[in-house]
Amino acid sequence: MSGRIAEREKELGALTQDIELSAERQAAIAREIRAIDRDREALNVDLLRTAQRVKALEDQLAATEARLGRLVRNEETVLASLREREGVLTEVLSALQRIGQRPPPALAVRPEDAIGAVRGALLLNAVMPEVHIETQALSSDLKELRRLKVSIAAERDRLTTDAGRLAEERKRVELILASKREQRARNQAELESERERAAQLAEQATSLKTLIASIEEEIESARRAAEEARAAEAARAKAGETETAAAPFADPGRLAPAVAFVNTKGNLPLPVAGSSLRSFGEDDGFGGLTEGQSIATRSGAQVTAPTDGWVVYAGPFRSYGQLLILNAGDGYHILLAGLGRIDVELGQFVLAGEPVAEMGSTQLASAATLDLAATQPVLYVEFRKDGIAIDPSPWWDRAEDEKVRG
């Protein structure tokens, strides 16, 4: 039965893999993007809203897939129950058929067959209660089977509809990100040179702390990002930072964090829709404690920036797989590891909630940073202050954090 369930679950998972947008719909989205790409603020607003819709749809799809999986398993249980009672039902029906063909004689006609009549009555009394019970059980199972099939069909339809909407929103994100890249219009030769040098530094670095330090010293875009972060800190200090922490991300046109990172506690959006595997400070299974948080995700899930910050590293690093590091200012850095694809560039300033990467279809970082038991993609998130890992949980928006922890 487990093989059949696995086959059905694989079939259900395939429903969302082959959703493609029509050429007409893709062209319509592209026209909408071109209509607003001259206005950076409007582009950011559209990007952040689209990213929120993508995350909500991924949550809905995960919930639908879970319900669908439970329904399929229940359906298999009912079918197995029916198959197990098939032999009993056959025997009972055969006995009734024999009684019908050779009914016990009536005492009024042949009194000498009283013994046969008694035996027939005893047989009927023995068989009929069992037939009645089995008939009720069969009827109940068949009704439940019909209900499950209707529910499964409805969930399949919902899954297909939401998967189509998700494909459309992801295409929109892709086009907006392409438009933002064109707006930056950086020298590609310079960018490629920086990528190569960053890769060399990553190979030489022995830890995340040394990687961050070397990158921000030797890579021009990362050094410039660090300088911009320090300038933003100085500007806030000079202005007295009158902004409230309750709405640190209100201005979509900002070019630097509106408030100090420490003042965003309780307001940061989680970077991905998923379920928590491990939290900060837990036993990592290797004799130490975890320095970050691991979140299991759907295949190809969108990853957004948890906070405003500058990209100081984007690429592979040791056991972390594809790694993205953001400088959030004030000595804070945010690390996102286990990514399938990174969509931002060195030196780029990103907004909290802005799409920055996409998960792969399998685990892409080692068990040392993730979780041995997980089979789906896992995002590893780490916060650092002056190079030391800190607990990220106080920074998350509480409603989102509770949803991920289930």
Side-chain angles (χ1 to χ4, degrees):
M1 186 171 113
S2 60
R4 180 175 168 82
I5 291 177
E7 183 181 341
R8 293 294 298 276
E9 289 180 342
K10 182 178 179 181
E11 175 191 338
L12 296 175
L15 285 174
T16 61
Q17 299 302 312
D18 302 321
I19 301 293
E20 294 184 2
L21 298 183
S22 67
E24 293 80 3
R25 186 54 193 148
Q26 291 191 48
I29 296 173
R31 285 194 296 273
E32 291 176 26
I33 302 306
R34 285 196 298 272
I36 63 173
D37 69 0
R38 294 182 183 86
D39 185 340
R40 179 179 53 80
E41 183 173 332
L43 202 62
N44 284 344
V45 169
D46 196 34
L47 180 57
L48 295 175
R49 287 176 178 170
T50 303
Q52 288 176 347
R53 290 195 297 269
V54 167
K55 190 179 289 186
L57 283 168
E58 287 176 342
D59 271 334
Q60 290 176 27
L61 279 168
T64 301
E65 287 168 346
R67 289 195 302 271
L68 206 43
R70 287 194 296 270
L71 288 170
V72 167
R73 288 190 290 274
N74 289 344
E75 181 188 30
E76 289 298 324
T77 300
V78 172
L79 288 172
S81 174
L82 289 172
R83 284 193 290 269
E84 286 175 2
R85 292 204 309 280
E86 185 176 358
V88 174
L89 290 172
T90 300
E91 291 178 6
V92 170
L93 292 173
S94 297
L96 287 174
Q97 187 177 25
R98 288 194 297 273
I99 291 171
Q101 292 172 347
R102 299 181 60 187
L107 289 175
V109 177
R110 300 176 61 186
E112 65 273 15
D113 288 337
I115 294 175
V118 170
R119 286 176 178 169
L122 289 173
L123 179 61
L124 282 173
N125 286 335
V127 171
M128 291 308 295
E130 184 178 359
V131 171
H132 180 67
I133 292 171
E134 290 296 336
T135 301
Q136 284 186 322
L138 178 62
S139 175
S140 176
D141 280 352
L142 290 174
K143 286 179 181 178
E144 177 63 8
L145 190 60
R146 282 196 298 272
R147 188 192 67 80
L148 287 170
K149 287 186 179 296
V150 170
S151 298
I152 287 172
E155 294 293 354
R156 280 176 181 269
D157 290 343
R158 184 178 293 110
L159 192 67
T160 303
T161 299
D162 286 348
R165 290 169 58 201
L166 179 61
E168 181 172 322
E169 296 295 354
R170 281 180 171 169
K171 185 64 179 179
R172 189 177 188 86
V173 166
E174 179 187 327
L175 292 172
I176 295 175
L177 290 175
S179 181
K180 290 193 72 172
R181 281 193 292 271
E182 290 175 7
Q183 285 187 346
R184 287 193 300 274
R186 291 191 58 202
N187 184 295
Q188 288 301 310
E190 176 189 346
L191 181 61
E192 188 58 37
S193 174
E194 289 189 343
R195 286 174 181 160
E196 291 176 1
R197 181 56 182 150
Q200 292 172 0
L201 292 173
E203 288 181 3
Q204 297 166 6
T206 57
S207 68
L208 283 169
K209 187 173 182 178
T210 58
L211 172 65
I212 293 170
S214 62
I215 287 288
E216 293 189 338
E217 284 177 6
E218 298 196 33
I219 303 297
E220 175 59 29
S221 60
R223 184 166 60 245
R224 189 165 54 245
E227 290 172 356
E228 289 178 9
R230 286 190 290 270
E233 296 163 23
R236 288 196 304 271
K238 185 177 180 180
E241 192 166 308
T242 57
E243 297 90 342
T244 63
F249 313 125
D251 176 17
R254 60 192 182 279
L255 297 173
V259 299
F261 182 75
V262 71
N263 290 334
T264 63
K265 283 187 177 181
N267 288 290
L268 297 190
L270 281 163
V272 72
S275 57
S276 179
L277 290 178
R278 289 185 182 178
S279 299
F280 178 86
E282 292 185 4
D283 181 358
D284 65 4
F286 297 89
L289 299 177
T290 54
E291 294 190 321
Q293 179 178 359
S294 300
I295 304 173
T297 77
R298 299 183 73 255
S299 174
Q302 168 190 265
V303 181
T304 59
T307 187
D308 293 350
W310 291 265
V311 178
V312 295
Y313 185 75
F317 180 65
R318 299 186 177 275
S319 64
Y320 288 82
Q322 288 292 320
L323 172 68
L324 179 66
I325 303 178
L326 301 178
N327 183 335
D330 303 294
Y332 289 94
H333 289 84
I334 312 300
L335 292 75
L336 304 172
L339 305 167
R341 187 189 74 215
I342 297 175
D343 295 323
V344 290
E345 300 170 354
L346 292 173
Q348 180 180 343
F349 178 72
V350 296
L351 304 176
E354 178 175 341
V356 293
E358 184 178 290
M359 298 301 293
S361 57
T362 57
Q363 263 197 40
L364 296 176
S366 78
T369 53
L370 303 181
D371 194 299
L372 281 169
T375 56
Q376 68 263 60
V378 177
L379 178 69
Y380 176 72
V381 186
E382 192 172 296
F383 283 20
R384 287 183 170 245
K385 168 62 173 170
D386 298 326
I388 306 300
I390 60 173
D391 186 0
S393 58
W395 268 267
W396 300 130
D397 178 281
R398 284 162 181 75
E400 287 198 30
D401 194 26
E402 287 173 4
K403 183 166 58 178
V404 164
R405 294 179 186 281

